[in-house]
Amino acid sequence: MVPRSTDEDIKAASDVDVALVTPASIPGLNSRELLLLRPVFADSSWEPDVIIGHGRVLGSYAAAQKQQFFSRARRVHFVHTDAEQLEAAKEMPGGTSRMASADERRNLERDLARSADLVVGVGPMLTATITDDLIGLSPRPKIMCMVPGLRSAFDPASASPPVRNALLVVGRADDFQSKGIDIVADALLKVVDRWPQSRPHPPVLVLRGVPGEAATDVKARLDEIFEGRVAYHLRPYSDSEELVKQDLAQSRVMLMPSRHEGFGLAAFEAIASDIPVLISAESGLAQFLRESHIDTEPSSIVTTRNTSTRLAIDEWADAIWYVLTHPAPSRAQAHEMRKRLSEIVDWRTAVDYLLAELDGLD
């Protein structure tokens, strides 16, 4: 169900066996408000067996659909974020607390999960979070963990390695602190200062996902760190798969330096496309890779936390330096990582597991 759709949207969905439905169009209602209306089905007597809501943002609309129109349907609530961890990651040292926002969002996620028939955590970290958040509450829904299947953005075998040393970061760049962009910027400064003048193609940072209204602020913060010594390109958020494919294919390495990341789908898609990745140790994806005993040498998992003996930016600088100066081995290890992951995760298995859990509900 979507608020509105074009003929192009309907055709694209139909090509992958998905039927888009929309509610009746009512002047004056925004997109979110339209999701509170009953969808219009081709067969007016048809009703869904399962309604799926994603996170605290869209989960409320799924709950409303069941309560108002489809009381016999099972409701599944997917958990995509850990509100407390994410809000804490946005806090600046010595700055304003985000406690109130974190508590409000955590309570909303918990209430939506508590009232669902089945709760699905995306990856092991988020599954553990929602499991603990529901302790002591009754009734308590069934909880399961789902790891997405690998979906390559392009055919890795058909893509030539890039010539330039572009480092890609994908995400809301206005969340400068939580996304760890300052960590990568400081680390990249160390790499560039170490880069021999005789060596071609010094590193270039590419940030995909910069909101238009935040571009000037993001630029100012990067300029303050780089002082004109590092090249970078800001690119706006885009839902174009073609642009995402190009970004990945043109990148020497994809970076996910988040101080907290519930899972890390952007890095997961890079792995699916044989692109070397460096990912935050403070992410659900890192936890899944470690539990599955899948990694590269040196490790693709890098901490964003300082220790008593070493700064996080030094860890990231060394990891970036290795990938850029050893492109062939890094790409070969990325291929091996994808191969090993493809042996344990795929969409068919994930969906079958979800359906089995639904069938097992009382």
Side-chain angles (χ1 to χ4, degrees):
M1 179 180 179
V2 293
R4 301 178 179 87
S5 62
T6 64
D7 290 342
E8 183 180 356
D9 294 332
I10 294 171
K11 182 182 183 306
S14 178
D15 288 343
V16 290
D17 296 326
V18 174
L20 294 184
V21 294
T22 59
S25 179
I26 298 181
L29 295 185
N30 63 36
S31 295
R32 293 282 175 82
E33 291 167 341
L34 288 172
L35 293 176
L36 294 171
L37 304 180
R38 196 183 200 282
V40 178
F41 300 113
D43 178 355
S44 60
S45 64
W46 185 86
E47 291 194 2
D49 297 310
V50 179
I51 300 173
I52 297 176
H54 289 274
R56 59 177 176 77
V57 176
L58 296 175
S60 298
Y61 300 98
Q65 286 291 321
K66 173 172 179 172
Q67 182 174 317
Q68 295 183 98
F69 309 118
F70 310 113
S71 59
R72 291 179 295 181
R74 300 287 195 180
R75 181 166 67 85
V76 180
H77 181 72
F78 272 74
V79 178
H80 292 272
T81 60
D82 178 334
E84 283 192 313
Q85 290 274 36
L86 182 56
E87 292 303 300
K90 295 178 181 179
E91 294 176 346
M92 298 292 292
T96 303
S97 169
R98 299 180 69 93
M99 177 190 69
S101 174
D103 191 57
E104 178 185 353
R105 294 179 178 188
R106 174 176 177 262
N107 288 337
L108 175 55
E109 188 88 67
R110 183 179 58 190
D111 289 345
L112 288 168
R114 180 183 183 181
S115 58
D117 296 292
L118 176 65
V119 177
V120 183
V122 180
M125 178 181 287
L126 293 172
T127 303
T129 295
I130 196 62
T131 298
D132 284 356
D133 282 349
L134 292 176
I135 288 177
L137 298 179
S138 181
R140 177 177 166 142
K142 180 180 283 189
I143 303 169
M144 63 167 281
C145 175
M146 175 181 279
V147 175
L150 291 174
R151 186 181 74 94
S152 178
F154 57 90
D155 179 10
S158 66
S160 301
V163 176
R164 298 179 302 167
N165 288 306
L167 296 85
L168 177 66
V169 176
V170 178
R172 287 191 60 94
D174 53 333
D175 287 340
F176 210 87
Q177 178 75 6
S178 70
K179 293 301 181 184
I181 297 172
D182 58 314
I183 296 174
V184 158
D186 282 323
L188 190 52
L189 191 62
K190 287 177 173 286
V191 172
V192 169
D193 286 348
R194 184 179 168 188
W195 200 264
Q197 289 188 350
S198 59
R199 192 182 190 101
H201 310 300
V204 177
L205 179 64
V206 177
L207 290 180
R208 168 66 75 184
V210 183
E213 67 277 9
T216 299
D217 181 60
V218 172
K219 178 182 182 298
R221 297 186 70 173
L222 287 175
D223 288 344
E224 183 179 1
I225 296 172
F226 288 152
E227 298 179 331
R229 288 143 62 191
V230 179
Y232 67 89
H233 304 301
L234 304 184
R235 295 177 181 172
Y237 167 79
S238 174
D239 57 7
S240 167
E241 287 198 10
E242 193 60 36
L243 286 179
V244 173
K245 291 177 184 179
Q246 291 175 4
D247 284 344
L248 285 172
Q250 295 166 5
S251 300
R252 182 73 70 188
V253 58
M254 193 273 186
L255 309 175
M256 191 182 77
S258 309
R259 286 182 167 86
H260 167 74
E261 196 73 47
F263 186 70
L265 287 174
F268 203 58
E269 289 199 348
I271 293 173
S273 301
D274 274 7
I275 303 300
V277 294
L278 295 174
I279 64 174
S280 166
E282 289 66 55
S283 67
L285 177 55
Q287 180 178 336
F288 174 69
L289 291 174
R290 283 172 167 165
E291 291 177 354
S292 304
H293 306 289
I294 296 175
D295 199 357
T296 59
E297 179 58 45
S299 179
S300 294
I301 301 172
V302 188
T303 186
T304 62
R305 296 174 179 170
N306 297 330
T307 68
S308 59
T309 59
R310 191 159 169 79
L311 296 176
I313 60 172
D314 292 328
E315 296 280 356
W316 280 88
D318 287 349
I320 291 170
W321 178 265
Y322 179 85
V323 173
L324 297 186
T325 57
H326 298 78
S330 296
R331 206 168 180 90
Q333 290 199 62
H335 174 75
E336 182 63 22
M337 178 181 281
R338 177 177 68 87
K339 180 181 176 183
R340 293 184 61 192
L341 267 176
S342 66
E343 294 171 354
I344 61 173
V345 297
D346 66 84
W347 273 115
R348 172 51 57 192
T349 300
V351 171
D352 286 347
Y353 182 29
L354 174 63
L355 294 177
E357 291 295 307
L358 284 168
D359 287 341
L361 294 176
D362 295 333

